[in-house]
């Protein structure tokens, strides 16, 4: 039988020897150089670039998925970040420079590759490949808003990791690229792979363990349509409060409940049973009930999404985006309208709705110049 | 697509009006009659018996399955309980009598149907069907040892429920029979369906909710072989201690870990990936680590099972049986030998090993007399 699930297991080959301080914030210290010398690994055959320039894309991701908190995520198509990467003789060999960052509200993002999600992941891939003789410059096109709960930082990291790998011939595996992406995520939001793994691999990914990194691809049936309704309010989710809202301890009945819903969620994904998937998505008794009240209108948004026929609805990542699931684009649009109205009526927040399919491919090259 | 998963949802049609005291222990009070008048429901058309006698079988079950604690169970073939049920003119119409109980160590079992797992389930099915005009007598053949962690009480209840339903033409659904079985389980071990649902339905069953009862059948691929190695030591697991050993509260990291393993376990079942299934089975960080030390030798038994090539090993139900999984009977026998040796060497306990396939059918009629 062709197994619908791949088990991937990968132990980091080289203990990271990065100079990137682990506990540092993302604000760049002054006077730091904008290009960064990659400390080389002992990989013996340094690859040559096979392109002079590549352009890559990585999709938005929805992490947590209700009872999938901290271990399950999926990719959504048509929105995400692009990276253009060039072999640049003006950059010192073995270094990478961020040439430009485009997109709205990108002023918060550093151009120092040490303090930029794309930069950190690119540096890590260069280190893994042992790049010493080629300098690179990177342009990041942000298609995702920051702090929306759609895996913005993970998309930047994923696009950069794939771009660097591909310009040198694609020697690294998806799992290695996830590890590179994790170096970046660690700096922004903690050592969690539930955004960056699906951003790189596409589809639904279950994070089974970190030591070693073990990822399960949960194959959603090819023939089944799945649409995500993503409704993002104009609201900055209070990240610290969102984290602080998590309970330290969980009672056994809620633990058993959420575990069973997590199992039902996985079953819904693997069998393409959207009703089961949606119901599980909406059934979290541990995290969502604590976080939803911190996002004005969220409880009403969920209620109207269900009333409008969504199979399920929950918070995307740590919010503030709400995500609902349905089986057709037109239904998705109708559900999205209701959700936008509810954010305004109950939360006094303007919001925008997008209806997107599951992205099954993950981060990929979109063009290249030999 | 033919979905590999059936979603069953059932709300109890009639609020139970049983005279069975909910909090009573299983010891029968003296002088209670051995037959029990079934209080009739309002079902209008009382069915006629279509057989004068039936014989049914219900399989042993493995509940918990590591991170599937309290919501996942499966049935194993070739061992279980039989019930023979007869239309008996010597029993008052609408009543049921337990004629005999056979098998080893059955002296603890009451012949009062009110205090016997098979009797309680049979009474509940008679009530659901509205039986008033026919008296029944039941013989229970225990094939399963009591208190072994193999769903002994659930097998008795399941066999009885199916027998009563079938003698009257099989009007009730599997879900209704599970509800009848739950009435019995409630008296013995709490309102848990993780043994009685797979005992009735076969295969792997995920208990998604109780109010209403909602069960997910997780279809294990037909073409994949799965063997359970069941090693039962001569040891009475201290039920109260086993329950008391459960933590009241669970830290978030362990909760997330067990949820992700529960997801991986479900994925392993649905895809027939025995390596993933076994690894998940053996990965519980919450219940097994607390219960295993209460069963002498259990930790060593698990270790040698893994060393001998089992894909996974854990405690079956609340123990003391250890369950390991593998993909061939001969491997299972070799693994079982090592586990028996370890129970003796490390726990000073004699033990017996059985190697059994997954039971995909659940409780069923094995013969009938018109």
């Amino acid at each position: 039988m062709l197994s619908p699930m791949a088990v991937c297991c990968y132990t980091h080959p080289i203990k990271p020897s990065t100079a990137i301080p682990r506990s540092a914030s993302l604000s760049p210290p002054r006077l730091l150089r904008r290009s960064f010398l990659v400390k080389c690994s002992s990989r013996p055959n340094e690859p040559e670039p096979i392109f002079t320039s590549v352009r890559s894309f990585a999709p938005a991701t929805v992490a947590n998925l209700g009872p999938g908190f901290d271990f399950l995520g999926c990719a959504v198509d048509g929105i995400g970040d692009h990276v253009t990467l060039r072999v640049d003789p003006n950059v010192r060999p073995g270094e990478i420079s961020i040439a430009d960052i485009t997109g709205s509200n990108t002023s918060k993002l550093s151009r120092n590759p040490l303090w930029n999600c794309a930069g950190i992941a690119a540096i890590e891939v260069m280190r893994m490949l042992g790049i010493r003789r080629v300098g690179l410059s990177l342009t990041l096109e942000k298609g995702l808003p920051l702090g929306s709960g759609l895996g913005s930082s993970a998309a930047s990291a994923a696009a950069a990791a794939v771009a660097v790998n591909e310009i040198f011939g694609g020697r690294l595996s998806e799992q290695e690229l996830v590890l590179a992406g994790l170096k970046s995520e660690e700096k922004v939001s903690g050592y969690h792979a539930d955004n960056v793994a699906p951003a790189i691999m596409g589809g639904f990914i279950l994070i089974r363990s970190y030591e070693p990194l073990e990822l399960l691809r949960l194959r959603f049936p090819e023939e089944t349509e799945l649409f995500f309704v993503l409704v993002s309010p104009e609201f900055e989710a209070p990240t610290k409060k969102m984290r602080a809202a998590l309970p330290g301890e969980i009672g056994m009945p809620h633990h058993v409940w959420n575990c069973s819903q997590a199992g039902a969620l996985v079953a819904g994904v693997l069998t393409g049973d959207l009703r089961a998937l949606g119901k599980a998505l909406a059934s979290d008794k541990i995290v969502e009930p604590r976080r939803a009240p911190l996002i004005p209108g969220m409880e009403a948004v969920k209620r109207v999404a269900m009333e409008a026929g969504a199979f399920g609805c929950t918070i995307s990542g740590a919010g503030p985006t709400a995500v609902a699931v349905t089986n057709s684009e037109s239904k998705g649009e109708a559900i999205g309208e209701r959700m936008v109205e509810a954010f305004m009526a109950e939360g006094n927040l303007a919001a925008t709705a997008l209806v997107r399919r599951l992205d099954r491919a993950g981060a990929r090259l979109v063009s290249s110049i030999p």
Side-chain angles (χ1 to χ4, degrees), chain A residues 10-366:
Chain A
Y10 180 77
T11 308
H12 204 301
I14 309 146
K15 264 287 170 201
S17 61
T18 174
I20 304 172
R22 281 181 178 243
S23 59
S25 83
L26 268 186
S27 336
R30 282 158 190 258
L31 302 176
L32 253 176
R33 287 188 312 154
R34 286 201 172 157
S35 65
F36 177 69
L37 179 63
V38 174
K39 287 195 180 173
C40 298
S41 78
S42 57
R43 197 177 275 258
N45 303 315
E46 181 178 342
E48 296 290 328
I50 63 166
F51 302 111
T52 57
S53 171
V54 295
R55 189 159 179 264
S56 64
F57 169 78
T61 45
V62 176
N64 292 347
L65 295 162
F69 178 72
D70 258 11
F71 69 87
L72 194 61
C74 65
V76 294
D77 78 352
I79 45 167
D81 289 356
H82 284 88
V83 157
T84 303
L85 191 74
R86 290 182 187 83
V87 172
D88 189 340
N90 297 319
V91 176
R92 271 210 286 186
E95 296 193 12
I96 187 163
S97 165
I98 295 183
D100 200 6
I101 302 173
T102 65
S104 58
N105 293 313
T106 55
S107 58
K108 281 187 186 170
L109 297 178
S110 171
R111 284 211 196 173
N112 182 324
L114 274 178
W115 306 102
N116 178 289
C117 301
I120 298 166
I123 288 165
E124 189 60 20
V125 174
M126 290 177 78
R127 187 202 315 281
M128 287 174 168
L129 290 169
I131 302 304
R132 277 185 265 199
R133 292 182 297 209
V134 177
L136 299 170
S137 70
L138 181 154
T139 299
L140 173 62
E141 300 161 57
K142 287 297 299 175
L144 291 175
L146 310 181
S148 59
L150 289 170
S152 175
S153 62
S156 297
V162 163
V164 175
N165 188 41
E166 291 298 329
I167 208 167
F168 289 107
R171 291 191 177 191
L172 300 182
S173 68
E174 280 184 332
Q175 291 71 43
E176 287 172 300
L177 297 179
V178 172
L179 280 168
L182 265 167
K183 294 292 290 182
S184 169
E185 288 288 85
E186 189 179 13
K187 290 286 288 285
V188 191
S189 55
Y191 200 76
H192 290 296
D194 47 347
N195 284 113
V196 78
I200 287 172
M201 299 166 71
F204 287 89
I205 305 292
L206 187 155
I207 320 300
R208 192 164 180 173
S209 74
Y210 285 95
E211 293 287 342
L213 181 65
E214 198 181 336
L215 309 167
L216 289 189
R217 180 186 293 282
L218 304 177
R219 291 194 194 281
F220 188 80
E222 289 291 336
E223 65 278 16
T224 307
E225 286 275 36
L226 168 58
F227 289 88
F228 297 90
V229 187
L230 304 165
V231 180
S232 303
E234 287 177 8
F235 176 73
E236 196 168 331
T239 312
K240 275 189 186 169
K241 272 193 182 172
M242 285 296 184
R243 207 21 82 176
L246 299 178
E249 302 268 304
I250 294 141
M252 185 59 94
H254 276 187
H255 165 69
V256 170
W257 172 266
N258 260 44
C259 270
S260 69
Q261 304 312 309
L265 181 58
V266 167
V269 170
L270 287 172
T271 62
D273 182 334
L274 290 192
R275 205 166 291 279
L277 188 162
K279 191 167 182 177
L281 191 84
S283 70
D284 173 21
K285 285 190 179 178
I286 295 172
V287 176
E288 190 198 295
R290 300 224 184 185
R291 284 184 165 174
L294 301 178
I295 304 167
M298 179 59 80
E299 285 147 322
V301 166
K302 177 174 180 172
R303 194 172 58 246
V304 303
M306 303 302 284
E307 284 167 8
F311 293 122
C313 180
T314 189
I315 303 167
S316 178
T321 296
V323 57
V325 291
T326 185
N327 59 354
S328 89
E329 194 159 13
S330 59
K331 277 191 213 167
E333 281 162 4
I335 292 164
E337 268 179 43
R338 295 285 310 278
M339 293 168 73
V340 167
E341 286 164 17
F343 260 130
M344 180 52 75
E346 303 288 331
N348 200 27
L349 296 176
T352 50
L354 285 173
V355 181
R356 290 289 182 264
R357 280 192 172 81
L358 180 68
D359 179 300
R360 297 171 190 263
R364 61 260 192 189
L365 219 55
V366 290

